[in-house]
Amino acid sequence: MRRIYSLFFFLFIGAVLLFNACKKDPIEPLPAADTTQNPVPTPTPNPLPTPVPTGVSVDLTTVPYTKLSEYRFFTGALKDQIPADNVFPYKPASSLFTDYALKKRFVWLPSGTKATYLADNKILDLPVGAALIKTFYYDNTEPSNTTRIIETRIMIRKSTGWIFAEYVWNNEQTDATLQMNGSYTPVAWSQNGTSTSVNYRIPSETECLTCHKSNSNPIPIGIQPQNLNNDYPFASGNANQLQYWISKGILENNLPSTIVSTIDYHDESQPLKTRLRSYLDINCAHCHRENSHCDYRPLRLAFSETLLSANMGLCVTPDENIDPMLIQIIVPGNIAKSVMHFRLNSIDENTRMPLLGRSVVDEVGVQLLRDYILSIDDCND
Amino acid sequence: MKKILLSIGLSVLVTAWTFGQQTCATAQIITVNTYGTPSINGTEVPPIVCSTGGTGATAANWYKYTPTQDFAVTITTDFISNGNIDNRVQIYSGSCGALICVAGDDDSGTNALCVASFNATAGTDYFIVFDNRWSSSGFMFQLIEDTIIVPNDSIVSWSPVSTSSITGSSLGVVDMNGDFLDDIVSVTSTNIQIHQQNSTGSFTPVNYTTSAAQFTPSWSLAVGDYNADGYNDLLYGGGSGVTFMESDGLGTGYTQVSGSQYVFSQRSNFVDINNDGHLDAFVCHDVDPNVYYLNDGTGTLTFNQGGLGDHPDGGNYGSIWVDYNNDRLPDLFIAKCRGGAGTAKINELHKNNGNGTFTNVSVQSNLADPIQTWSSAWNDFDNDGWMDVVVGISSSADGMHKFMHNNGDGTFSNITAGSGLETYLGMSTEYASYDFNNDGFADVFTPGTILYNNGNNTFTAHTIPMTAGAVGDLNNDGFLDMQNGTTTYFNNGNLNSWLTVTLQGTTSNLNGIGARVEIYGAWGKQIRDVRAGVGFRYMGTLNAHFGIGAATLIDSLRVLWPSGNKDVICNPNKNSVIHIIENSAPVATAIFNANSTNVDEFESVNFTDASTPCPTAWNWSINPTTGWNFSNGTTSTSQNPTITFDIPGTYEVSLVASNSNGNSINQSTETIVVNSNVGIATNNKVNISIHPNPVEDLVYIGLNQLKIKSIKIASVLGAQVDADLDKSSNTIDVTHLNAGTYFLSVTTENDDVIITRFIKK
């Protein structure tokens, strides 16, 4: 416990190697393509040829695998994240801010199975054996302006429920290894031309569960119909994601005629409150809804609940008096006295919100909140 | 922000309009009335901010008020017509250029409106100043005069004093330089700043640069001397791990020791978990089983997880180490919190088995409660010798505050109903118990409120200006103060008396953490546990503090150390700080004096106890066991007995004294020689004999032919008894006497007096 300096040294050396690796081997931007699987050539003659396995592998008796590559979710170089046959990309309308990390999301279902619609605001009911894959990466990392993949998080539905599998990418960006205990890795990159750095947190299994749960049961978050009822630029062209899933045979064709849907909070053509509600849903609702980590607080921030402004904290006295100045969660027209603004704008571990997943302020999100607060006059918005 | 201007319609309510008031010197005179103030544009910015909200105002409107008699004055802008305007008021006495804060308020009204109250003295000028910290809009305000209500003197008031040299998070009020005066500890990731309390009441800031803390104390700070070098070390409870800042043994710096393990820290503590005399550390884990660090005795800590609250989902927020069952071992209570339907929110009590293992007794103790709580306040609220608990809520989602009385048998009873807590609706993550008004009953502190203990298992809530912060005595006046950021709130005290006890362990850990301190007096008994880490986030004093109300004498002070050692101090002075080194006053020493060691038979000896310290029980024994009696109403357990020796001989008188620590190890012995004077006449020798002795009915007196003139018979207590002498046979019939020893006084025909004794069977 006292001998930690060797660990620091190791991390330092690791970081140096990492940067060097990036420097020698720049990664092209990841295409969001849905391509058919290519046959994998056998590279060298083999005196005892064995069949090269193909197709996605999710053996529920042995997952999580030690290496990301073992699932064969991708074809070609793993770092290119080219989805294999029947692995489909998706993206929710608004996404969670995680220190500016970029994300690629994919879904895979066992052959012949389908997801089921339950409600606009409930995660699609995915069949046993299904997998959700989410890769976190940065473009333009320093010093050589390269792409660096940090981690790939997988959730797999077993018969007993969802499990987490966390894969951390190697410095060479050739594969990722199962690591469930969490770690830090420094990342420096150019964010819209500004040099930015964070000590990036790769979550432990319990950190995954903190957000991804209902009561104590692990669940996905993003795959709610309300978040997928929008167009995505598939390789075959733009298409509504839910309709695309139906066309690919992975979603039952029983959707209601209308789905109350979230929007992309960046979309300035949309009403301010709808943008904020979409932002709060994907960034906050996983802890501020029934049966969640913090459901003992009065906030209910799911998109389906924030039509009621009190659920969003408008004119609501906070349970916790952080500062006598912060009198309500949202004070109409008063940014300085609003707890939500203070917490979204804080980077202190004990006051920031969300609690996990970020170490810097999401300036876009905070500005959206500011705009909303200044737009309202009273508690009846 | 919506701009609400005073409308023409509104002006009907306003009885007086004011004009622009540029400066203190040009302040407009106001009295009891409702006023409208125009946009805030006065050029003189208030020099001191008395309210919350900090600096940043650029303009202000100034008013002056001089009451004709003493009043309780309220300045309010809390009118519906003022809408969302965010205004703020500062109230000063003194004179322009030398203003003194009297009151101030930012947001006590509806939304962000302000309401300030103060007691005004007739003829004094008060400056009432609205600044534009948040808004320059004009608004309506009212000055109200009320009769002053004399405050209950059982509560205390507070004086804020700002220390501008404080940097970083002020998380601790605890001694750091070994003088047992509480210091202010503030921390940044690269600096430990200690404002050392001087004996004169001032502070000397000292900065210690550290390596960048891998984990900062964003969730909690604990302080204790785990490397036992005489300088306290620090534990930073961070969101992803734990960092220790270990003192260098010289008081010149700290070395960082950070664990590699992921820990979502909440409350942290220093405590000797395995009772080996070395201070260990404990950290609540939010999302996993709790972790602890065992000290090998050289200051090297080893990470452990398991055995001290192992719910797989965590939910651990407020750990507190308290001896709930009076077995002199610190037990662990965990205030827990968790959303959803799981069991991670159920509070836990772990009984210390004394061998490094603990038994979860949450259910049988009746403390397994789903209340959403981040900390709990433990003390003996009714001074019955057992630690009780107020479990305070952070959220009302799973039940309200609970006041649980320790039954002394390992169980607790819910006595919330009627205690005043059932109507207290405040919520917080911070609850801690101290006696703030020194009335001898421990109170509960939660940000913005002290729940004063009325002494009968009820509490009364009083608003205070302080938010969450560390508690200690920052001016060594025996009244506990609080630190909020850069502001120290000094307790103005009252007439009650107090005692502060500082500890230095030898066999036990150096801080004496885990020790039980007791004081005895007219109140009976008060107890404290020495704890490192109470409430949720902060680190308060390690000194044991007691109030004793109007009492003038403290009979004794006792320390029960974690090692099992005990010390007793007799009659400590009230209003003093007593320093106790472990095992310096362990047990009673039995000592006594006799007023004579050589007496005649039937004479008495007075024995006077001189045992120390604080003897509370005495056990006298005399060898041989017959031939003497306690007299003057004394017994073998009297402090100062009188013994009458009836039979000549040599007696060994011994005393075993006891105090609250138990019996003295050694008994004290004195030899008493008793001489015979039986048969000795008052003027010359006359031989006398009696038989039979002991006697049943007739006793015969042989007197060498001399005739007997008269007799007297008395009991050993000196009471005369009737008995007839048959002069013809020189016999006395004693058939009617009770069994016992009697003196017989015989007067001869020559008026010689001879005393002897006989025993009636």
Side-chain angles (χ1 to χ4, degrees):
Chain A
M1 148 102 236
R2 303 178 95 188
R3 308 283 172 259
I4 56 170
Y5 301 104
S6 58
L7 175 62
F8 283 145
F9 182 72
F10 174 78
L11 286 172
F12 175 71
I13 294 297
V16 169
L17 289 172
L18 186 74
F19 287 128
N20 287 342
C22 293
K23 189 174 183 176
K24 287 178 207 158
D25 190 14
I27 297 171
E28 294 301 317
L30 304 179
D34 175 36
T35 61
T36 54
Q37 188 185 343
N38 296 321
V40 178
T42 305
T44 52
N46 192 329
L48 292 170
T50 53
V52 175
T54 59
V56 169
S57 163
V58 179
D59 179 353
L60 294 183
T61 64
T62 55
V63 292
Y65 301 142
T66 307
K67 298 284 186 187
L68 176 61
S69 56
E70 294 175 67
Y71 295 93
R72 299 195 296 275
F73 286 131
F74 304 101
T75 63
L78 196 61
K79 70 179 179 182
D80 293 341
Q81 299 274 289
I82 300 166
D85 223 8
N86 298 319
V87 176
F88 304 108
Y90 72 94
K91 183 174 188 278
S94 282
S95 53
L96 174 72
F97 175 81
T98 49
D99 282 358
Y100 295 105
L102 303 172
K103 295 158 196 174
K104 292 282 175 189
R105 304 169 189 82
F106 305 91
V107 58
W108 178 84
L109 269 59
S111 177
T113 65
K114 285 182 186 341
T116 309
Y117 167 94
L118 297 176
D120 297 355
N121 62 344
K122 291 201 166 120
I123 55 170
L124 292 168
D125 187 15
L126 265 54
V128 169
L132 296 166
I133 306 114
K134 189 174 180 185
T135 292
F136 291 64
Y137 66 100
Y138 287 82
D139 284 340
N140 306 320
T141 61
E142 296 176 358
S144 302
N145 213 33
T146 49
T147 292
R148 178 184 163 203
I149 306 177
I150 310 290
E151 54 166 332
T152 296
R153 305 178 187 175
I154 300 178
M155 290 191 74
I156 299 168
R157 174 130 196 206
K158 291 189 165 185
S159 59
T160 50
W162 290 93
I163 64 160
F164 304 106
E166 168 66 37
Y167 293 89
V168 180
W169 283 68
N170 61 19
N171 295 336
E172 297 74 23
Q173 303 273 282
T174 56
D175 207 343
T177 307
L178 184 70
Q179 291 183 22
M180 302 299 286
N181 294 327
S183 58
Y184 286 97
T185 183
V187 183
W189 76 101
S190 170
Q191 181 70 29
N192 297 328
T194 305
S195 178
T196 310
S197 66
V198 296
N199 195 21
Y200 185 91
R201 176 68 189 173
I202 296 166
S204 66
E205 185 171 15
T206 52
E207 286 171 285
C208 296
L209 182 68
T210 300
C211 298
H212 282 270
K213 71 180 174 188
S214 178
N215 294 325
S216 295
N217 304 315
I219 54 165
I221 295 171
I223 53 162
Q224 301 166 36
Q226 64 176 18
N227 297 335
L228 301 176
N229 186 28
N230 52 55
D231 283 359
Y232 181 86
F234 295 101
S236 53
N238 277 9
N240 176 282
Q241 296 189 73
L242 292 172
Q243 295 303 326
Y244 184 88
W245 286 33
I246 290 171
S247 75
K248 291 294 178 184
I250 62 166
L251 175 61
E252 271 192 59
N253 188 7
N254 65 343
L255 301 182
S257 55
T258 59
I259 292 174
V260 179
S261 300
T262 59
I263 55 153
D264 181 352
Y265 65 83
H266 297 93
D267 184 353
E268 296 185 5
S269 70
Q270 296 284 347
L272 197 52
K273 187 170 181 183
T274 311
R275 291 171 61 202
L276 180 64
R277 289 173 55 221
S278 296
Y279 181 84
L280 296 176
D281 179 274
I282 202 69
N283 280 280
C284 315
H286 46 269
C287 275
H288 290 290
R289 58 176 164 77
E290 286 301 312
N291 303 323
S292 67
H293 195 73
C294 263
D295 76 351
Y296 51 88
R297 298 297 183 211
L299 290 179
R300 291 292 179 267
L301 295 178
F303 190 74
S304 56
E305 299 186 271
T306 42
L307 274 175
L308 185 61
S309 297
N311 279 344
M312 207 158 68
L314 189 62
C315 300
V316 172
T317 303
D319 283 356
E320 175 63 1
N321 177 5
I322 308 173
D323 182 326
M325 207 174 82
L326 300 168
I327 54 180
Q328 290 164 355
I329 294 171
I330 294 178
V331 185
N334 197 330
I335 294 168
K337 302 290 175 69
S338 296
V339 178
M340 188 182 283
H341 178 267
F342 172 80
R343 286 192 179 273
L344 261 58
N345 201 40
S346 169
I347 56 168
D348 292 339
E349 283 181 325
N350 56 315
T351 54
R352 73 185 179 207
M353 285 289 161
L355 206 56
L356 303 179
R358 76 168 178 90
S359 64
V360 296
V361 173
D362 179 8
E363 297 295 348
V364 174
V366 170
Q367 189 56 50
L368 178 61
L369 177 63
R370 284 192 195 112
D371 292 345
Y372 173 74
I373 292 174
L374 293 182
S375 75
I376 52 173
D377 291 334
D378 56 38
C379 303
N380 301 314
D381 182 55
Chain B
M1 190 181 306
K2 191 175 184 179
K3 300 293 184 287
I4 295 182
L5 300 175
L6 295 170
S7 66
I8 294 170
L10 171 63
S11 66
V12 174
L13 299 169
V14 178
T15 54
W17 286 92
T18 65
F19 49 86
Q21 301 79 30
Q22 298 295 304
T23 65
C24 180
T26 61
Q28 181 181 345
I29 307 294
I30 59 172
T31 59
V32 178
N33 216 329
T34 303
Y35 298 90
T37 191
S39 295
I40 292 171
N41 57 9
T43 52
E44 184 171 344
V45 177
I48 318 166
V49 178
C50 317
S51 68
T52 56
T55 57
T58 57
N61 288 354
W62 292 75
Y63 299 91
K64 189 159 106 177
Y65 160 70
T66 310
T68 54
Q69 62 185 84
D70 292 358
F71 284 118
V73 175
T74 300
I75 304 290
T76 178
T77 68
D78 194 359
F79 298 103
I80 292 171
S81 58
N82 284 338
N84 287 346
I85 292 174
D86 188 355
N87 48 26
R88 192 171 79 158
V89 66
Q90 320 295 332
I91 298 164
Y92 306 98
S93 61
S95 57
C96 294
L99 296 170
I100 301 160
C101 271
V102 171
D105 186 65
D106 190 355
D107 296 320
S108 293
T110 308
N111 293 334
L113 298 170
C114 60
V115 180
S117 298
F118 62 102
N119 286 341
T121 306
T124 301
D125 292 340
Y126 294 93
F127 295 91
I128 294 155
V129 189
F130 296 98
D131 68 29
N132 70 340
R133 173 73 176 93
W134 307 114
S135 163
S136 295
S137 298
F139 50 85
M140 180 173 126
F141 72 92
Q142 185 178 15
L143 189 156
I144 303 165
E145 292 176 340
D146 281 316
T147 306
I148 291 177
I149 296 165
V150 178
N152 183 341
D153 63 5
S154 70
I155 67 171
V156 292
S157 61
W158 306 84
S159 295
V161 175
S162 183
T163 304
S164 59
S165 53
I166 293 177
T167 57
S169 301
S170 300
L171 293 169
V173 171
V174 60
D175 175 44
M176 296 296 288
N177 60 340
D179 63 3
F180 295 96
L181 295 173
D182 289 326
D183 308 312
I184 301 168
V185 184
S186 49
V187 174
T188 68
S189 65
T190 57
N191 194 60
I192 296 168
Q193 186 186 49
I194 298 168
H195 277 72
Q196 294 175 349
Q197 183 185 162
N198 301 319
S199 56
T200 54
S202 60
F203 295 98
T204 302
V206 182
N207 287 288
Y208 300 95
T209 301
T210 66
S211 56
Q214 191 175 349
F215 307 104
T216 54
S218 49
W219 290 100
S220 68
L221 174 75
V223 169
D225 189 0
Y226 72 83
N227 67 353
D229 66 350
Y231 297 94
N232 278 337
D233 313 296
L234 300 90
L235 184 165
Y236 296 174
S240 304
V242 176
T243 285
F244 294 88
M245 287 291 177
E246 182 177 344
S247 59
D248 64 0
L250 305 168
T252 55
Y254 298 85
T255 303
Q256 176 172 187
V257 184
S258 289
S260 59
Q261 298 83 5
Y262 170 74
V263 181
F264 190 163
S265 307
Q266 299 290 309
R267 173 77 263 174
S268 54
N269 319 89
F270 279 110
V271 61
D272 181 2
I273 292 170
N274 55 2
N275 203 30
D276 64 355
H278 308 302
L279 209 51
D280 311 306
F282 177 89
V283 182
C284 275
H285 202 312
D286 191 337
V287 295
D288 278 326
N290 292 313
V291 304
Y292 51 101
Y293 300 82
L294 292 179
N295 184 344
D296 69 354
T298 68
T300 300
L301 299 174
T302 303
F303 177 87
N304 285 267
Q305 189 168 28
L308 286 172
D310 291 341
H311 196 290
D313 297 344
N316 308 292
Y317 285 70
S319 51
I320 185 166
W321 292 80
V322 52
D323 180 11
Y324 83 98
N325 57 354
N326 285 0
D327 65 354
R328 310 311 171 219
L329 296 166
D331 310 295
L332 169 64
F333 179 77
I334 311 168
K336 302 196 69 180
C337 183
R338 178 54 34 89
T343 54
K345 60 187 159 190
I346 296 175
N347 298 332
E348 295 177 17
L349 178 64
H350 295 266
K351 180 166 70 94
N352 189 336
N353 299 323
N355 57 0
T357 70
F358 288 75
T359 303
N360 187 332
V361 293
S362 312
V363 173
Q364 58 259 50
S365 67
N366 201 26
L367 293 180
D369 203 304
I371 294 172
Q372 300 284 359
T373 172
W374 287 34
S375 62
S376 60
W378 283 82
N379 243 326
D380 179 10
F381 293 109
D382 56 356
N383 290 343
D384 68 352
W386 299 87
M387 287 289 175
D388 313 303
V389 59
V390 170
V391 182
I393 59 170
S394 169
S395 153
S396 58
D398 285 276
M400 302 301 290
H401 306 289
K402 264 196 178 175
F403 181 15
M404 303 296 289
H405 180 258
N406 189 334
N407 299 321
D409 60 0
T411 68
F412 292 76
S413 295
N414 185 352
I415 57 168
T416 316
S419 70
L421 283 173
E422 78 278 21
T423 56
Y424 176 67
L425 302 179
M427 295 182 234
S428 176
T429 55
E430 293 280 353
Y431 297 89
S433 177
Y434 299 92
D435 185 355
F436 289 102
N437 58 351
N438 285 359
D439 66 349
F441 294 98
D443 313 309
V444 175
F445 164 58
T446 182
T449 301
I450 288 176
L451 294 155
Y452 280 106
N453 182 346
N454 301 317
N456 56 359
N457 279 335
T458 70
F459 293 90
T460 304
H462 284 272
T463 300
I464 53 172
M466 296 81 83
T467 58
V471 174
D473 187 353
L474 286 169
N475 54 1
N476 204 30
D477 67 349
F479 286 85
L480 293 173
D481 313 307
M482 278 189 228
Q483 190 67 26
N484 274 187
T486 58
T487 302
T488 305
Y489 284 90
F490 287 105
N491 183 332
N492 292 328
N494 53 29
L495 296 177
N496 287 336
S497 297
W498 51 273
L499 180 73
T500 296
V501 183
T502 65
L503 298 184
Q504 183 177 329
T506 54
T507 312
S508 304
N509 67 83
L510 194 58
N511 298 108
I513 292 166
R516 168 66 60 87
V517 184
E518 306 175 333
I519 62 168
Y520 296 82
W523 54 85
K525 178 179 178 181
Q526 283 194 60
I527 60 175
R528 296 283 186 272
D529 284 335
V530 178
R531 301 170 186 149
V534 300
F536 178 69
R537 189 184 312 281
Y538 300 90
M539 176 68 208
T541 183
L542 284 169
N543 300 336
H545 166 267
F546 297 90
I548 60 167
T552 54
L553 292 175
I554 302 165
D555 293 342
S556 67
L557 157 66
R558 186 158 79 128
V559 181
L560 306 163
W561 299 86
S563 64
N565 286 329
K566 301 169 185 174
D567 289 296
V568 173
I569 302 293
C570 197
N571 299 123
N573 290 330
K574 67 172 186 172
N575 300 339
S576 68
V577 179
I578 302 286
H579 183 63
I580 301 180
I581 298 171
E582 183 173 0
N583 225 20
S584 60
V587 292
T589 302
I591 307 170
F592 68 92
N593 301 309
N595 66 338
S596 175
T597 56
N598 195 312
V599 295
D600 288 342
E601 60 179 327
F602 306 118
E603 277 191 349
S604 296
V605 177
N606 294 325
F607 295 91
T608 305
D609 171 60
S611 303
T612 61
C614 278
T616 53
W618 303 264
N619 193 357
W620 299 85
S621 55
I622 297 97
N623 190 30
T625 58
T626 57
W628 50 270
N629 290 286
F630 288 102
S631 48
N632 293 345
T634 60
T635 69
S636 65
T637 58
S638 298
Q639 183 172 15
N640 301 308
T642 300
I643 299 175
T644 302
F645 293 91
D646 298 341
I647 298 174
T650 300
Y651 295 84
E652 296 286 322
V653 179
S654 300
L655 168 65
V656 174
S658 308
N659 61 19
S660 52
N661 273 349
N663 291 340
S664 54
I665 293 171
N666 298 312
Q667 61 180 15
S668 176
T669 300
E670 187 73 76
T671 301
I672 308 292
V673 176
V674 179
N675 305 304
S676 172
N677 63 0
V678 170
I680 308 297
T682 49
N683 49 5
N684 55 8
K685 280 193 171 180
V686 178
N687 290 328
I688 190 169
S689 64
I690 60 173
H691 66 85
N693 188 11
V695 58
E696 222 162 307
D697 42 19
L698 297 176
V699 58
Y700 171 77
I701 303 169
L703 205 58
N704 278 355
Q705 316 297 319
L706 278 171
K707 285 185 177 166
I708 296 173
K709 189 175 182 179
S710 65
I711 61 159
K712 285 182 189 170
I713 295 177
S715 74
V716 291
L717 298 175
Q720 292 259 348
V721 295
D722 291 331
D724 293 330
L725 172 72
D726 180 352
K727 288 187 174 174
S728 62
S729 62
N730 277 2
T731 57
I732 309 169
D733 186 351
V734 295
T735 312
H736 63 287
L737 296 185
N738 293 330
T741 303
Y742 293 87
F743 297 118
L744 172 61
S745 171
V746 178
T747 306
T748 69
E749 57 190 341
N750 299 330
D751 286 332
D752 292 325
V753 179
I754 308 149
I755 298 170
T756 186
R757 79 183 133 62
F758 65 90
I759 294 167
K760 169 71 166 63
K761 285 203 281 193

